[in-house]
Amino acid sequence: MAPYESDRTAGAEGLPDEANDVRAGRRKAARYVVPVAVVGVAAATIGLVPALADSGDPSLPKITAEQLIEKIAKSDVQQLSGTVKVSTDLGLPSLGGLESGMLSGVTKGSGGSSADPQSKLMELASGTHTVRVAADGPDKAKVSVLENAAEYSIIHNGNDVWAYDSKSNEVYHSKAPAAEKGQEKAPKDVPTTPKQLADEALKSVDDTTSVTVDGTAQVAGRDAYKLLIKPKQSGSTVGAITVAVDAKTGVPLKFTLVPTSGGAAVVDAGFTQVAFAKPAASTFDFTPPKGAKVTEGKDSKGSKDLKGSKDSKAPESAPSRGDLGKGLDGLKTVGKGWSTIAEFDTGGQGMPSGSSSQGGNVSGFLNSLGDHVKGKFGSGTVFSTRLVNALITDDGKVYAGAVTKDALVKAANAAH
């Protein structure tokens, strides 16, 4: 039976005449790239099982899963402001000073600026953060990550995108890329709101997933329906996703992903306060503070110090996203839906060998983070989080996805 078929025969109101209209509506909202923490969710495809919302508290009119997802897709809120609490728990080991050094290196790696959003926002992939957001149409947006006494902000205003790290007093400036009609121009590296996460999870549909309406809730003082998304397939590390959808506007207010292993949510992002009024125009104004170091993006002529230093040099260009795929031999995916596994060849020799005097320390550290496995492929190491796992074989093959260790080993065996 095709998705929604029973809803149509039951005469539910507000449903589109053609299934293609439903799919097109969902694709309209999918514009952001998820961080590595939810790569498996973005890759998964979703089929719908019709269900009606419970008459819980708050009491809201009954709605089908299809109608609720259509409500999300058709939501056209252009103006909002609010505070989002984002918690991510991948279960990674604490690396202490090494972790700090690695993050510092990544932060400085693109153009030499700690304010560069391509690396800075990846810090949201761990821990708990408070994020303030504001938007006024497709050309004005602001995202601020609050960190103790410091603040990191990205401001998109017209053709300009500014990023400011108050801790280092550094500014990164670039021009907003041209966007297709109906798409936003703001930086898209990491989603920071429940809507951006929900859009990725609802990109497409098939029969790999059960999607139902699981009652109602109140989020940030607003009435909401709860959309429950659960894989039908075995072998996935994704247990369930819950999206709280504002009953009036259709805007996702809260996104929660729990793993099959149980425990705390891997990703929990929700508004603690939200308003759908026009933000003050001054919200999107930005002038670099006096004395701040300003780094210009790749389309500009380099970096400068507002004090007028003559020693500033243009930063080296960061590698483009297209460059990231170079050296990967035969990148492909195997499996379907939630069990999808990415498979590629690094062209290398796998993990560093402990027999090498130069690689001994590195090998020992990496080996402590992974589990050794053997199969038809020979031997390799599985690196695990609570959501995304990766198998690196000794001959340089990589198998990765939001699947269990056994699923990775099975895929590697099948490839040999």
Side-chain angles (χ1 to χ4, degrees), residues 212-366:
T212 60
V213 180
D214 187 35
T216 62
Q218 273 212 338
V219 179
R222 298 185 64 88
D223 294 347
Y225 293 104
K226 294 191 297 181
L227 190 69
L228 180 63
I229 303 168
K230 298 183 71 174
K232 291 181 178 179
Q233 299 167 300
S234 61
S236 173
T237 54
V238 177
I241 295 172
T242 302
V243 182
V245 183
D246 186 64
K248 184 175 181 180
T249 66
V251 172
L253 300 175
K254 187 175 176 66
F255 176 98
T256 304
L257 186 157
V258 296
T260 53
S261 59
V266 172
V267 180
D268 188 28
F271 281 99
T272 57
Q273 182 275 326
V274 65
F276 297 103
K278 180 182 177 71
S282 59
T283 302
F284 311 103
D285 292 339
F286 180 78
T287 300
K290 184 178 180 180
K293 176 184 177 182
V294 179
T295 299
E296 295 290 342
K298 62 181 179 180
D299 294 331
S300 302
K301 295 183 178 180
S303 62
K304 61 182 179 179
D305 191 308
L306 293 188
K307 293 180 180 179
S309 171
K310 298 180 180 180
D311 297 328
S312 299
K313 297 181 180 180
E316 295 181 2
S317 298
S320 67
R321 281 184 172 77
D323 294 334
L324 297 179
K326 291 182 178 180
L328 302 184
D329 182 17
L331 176 63
K332 64 179 181 179
T333 59
V334 294
K336 179 182 178 183
W338 301 91
S339 298
T340 299
I341 296 173
E343 176 186 336
F344 59 90
D345 190 341
T346 64
Q349 298 298 318
M351 298 301 300
S353 172
S355 62
S356 168
S357 60
Q358 294 180 344
N361 292 335
V362 174
S363 176
F365 169 71
L366 293 177

Side-chain angles (χ1 to χ4, degrees), residues 367-386:
N367 287 340
S368 69
L369 301 180
D371 295 327
H372 298 289
V373 293
K374 293 183 178 181
K376 294 180 180 179
F377 54 88
S379 59
T381 305
V382 175
F383 297 92
S384 301
T385 72
R386 298 177 65 219

Side-chain angles (χ1 to χ4, degrees), residues 1 38 54 76 124 145 164 171 187 242 280 282 294 368 371 403:
M1 182 177 68
V38 288
D54 297 333
D76 194 30
L124 293 178
V145 183
Y164 176 58
V171 176
T242 302
S282 59
V294 179
S368 69
D371 295 327
V403 297

